[in-house]
Amino acid sequence: MGGIIFIILVIAVIMLVAMYNGLVRKKKLVDNAWSQIDVQLKRRYDLIPNLVESVKGYAAHEAGLLEKVTLARTRAMGVPSGDTGAKIAAETELGGALRGLMVQVEAYPQLKANENFLQLQEELTSTENKIAFSRQHYNDSATNYNTAIAVFPANVVAGMFKFQDAALWQITEAAEREAPKVKF
C-alpha cells in the first residue's frame, strides 16, 4: 500500500515539474517573440530621423506633422520594455503618425522623386512589414502561452506559480480596421 502511494506521489511530482517546465518554455517563446519585435522597432526608430530630415527640406510647412512623428518616436522609445501594454499603445500611435506623414508626402512630387527619400521610404516599408510579421508571431506565441496557462490541469500549476497572461497586440484605432479605399 505504501509503495502505491509513493508511486502516485512520484507521478504527481513528475507531472507538476513537466507542466511547470512546459509553461516556462512557452513563456520564454513569448519573450523571444517580443524581442524580435523590439529588433524591428529599433530599426524603425533609427530610420525615422533620416526620413524626417528628408521631408523637412521639401515640406517645411508640415512642421506640426513632423513634430508629431518625432514626439511619437520619443514616447515609444521611452516606454520600458517590460510594460507590454504601454509599448503596444505607443507603437500604435507612432504607426499612425508615420502613416499620416506618408499620406502628406503624396502632395510633394519632387520629394517622391528624391532618390534618398525613396530609399528611406523603401527601408521603412520593409521594416513595417517585418514588424507586422513579428507582431503576428508574437500574438501566436502569446495565444499559445495564454491557452496553456488557462487549461486544466496546467491552470492549477500556473496559478500556483503566478504565471500571467501575455498581452496581445491588437488594433486599437478604428481607422486601421477599415479596408483601404481605392479610387481610379
Side-chain angles (χ1 to χ4, degrees), residues 16-182:
L16 176 75
V17 168
M19 279 187 253
Y20 176 82
N21 287 341
L23 293 174
V24 168
R25 277 189 212 91
K26 289 180 186 329
K27 176 67 173 132
K28 293 297 177 189
L29 288 173
V30 170
D31 293 344
N32 179 50
W34 184 256
S35 294
Q36 297 306 316
I37 291 174
D38 267 348
V39 167
Q40 298 307 323
L41 294 178
K42 170 75 169 98
R43 179 176 157 87
R44 177 204 252 177
Y45 298 153
D46 292 346
L47 288 171
I48 289 172
N50 296 329
L51 187 69
V52 167
E53 284 303 313
S54 293
V55 174
K56 264 186 191 176
Y58 289 92
H61 64 281
E62 300 292 350
L65 185 58
L66 296 174
E67 185 177 319
K68 183 178 178 182
V69 170
T70 303
L71 288 174
R73 174 186 176 260
T74 302
R75 275 194 291 276
M77 289 177 65
V79 175
S81 61
D83 191 349
T84 307
K87 189 73 167 174
I88 289 170
E91 290 303 327
T92 300
E93 178 188 356
L94 177 56
L98 282 172
R99 279 187 297 284
L101 177 62
M102 290 305 169
V103 166
Q104 286 302 107
V105 163
E106 294 297 317
Y108 301 96
Q110 65 275 41
L111 174 59
K112 290 189 325 185
N114 179 289
E115 187 175 317
N116 194 25
F117 176 77
L118 290 173
Q119 182 181 359
L120 286 168
Q121 188 179 29
E122 177 59 35
E123 285 184 46
L124 187 61
T125 299
S126 172
T127 299
E128 292 296 326
N129 289 337
K130 290 175 184 175
I131 290 170
F133 177 78
S134 296
R135 287 175 181 167
Q136 179 182 355
H137 176 65
Y138 168 79
N139 276 351
D140 290 345
S141 297
T143 299
N144 190 5
Y145 166 75
N146 291 345
T147 302
I149 66 172
V151 297
F152 183 80
N155 64 341
V156 176
V157 174
M160 287 176 17
F161 292 101
K162 301 193 183 334
F163 284 88
Q164 299 287 325
D165 270 357
L168 294 177
W169 200 299
Q170 298 176 343
I171 294 174
T172 55
E173 295 179 21
E176 287 186 59
R177 291 188 186 275
E178 293 179 18
K181 293 175 177 55
V182 180

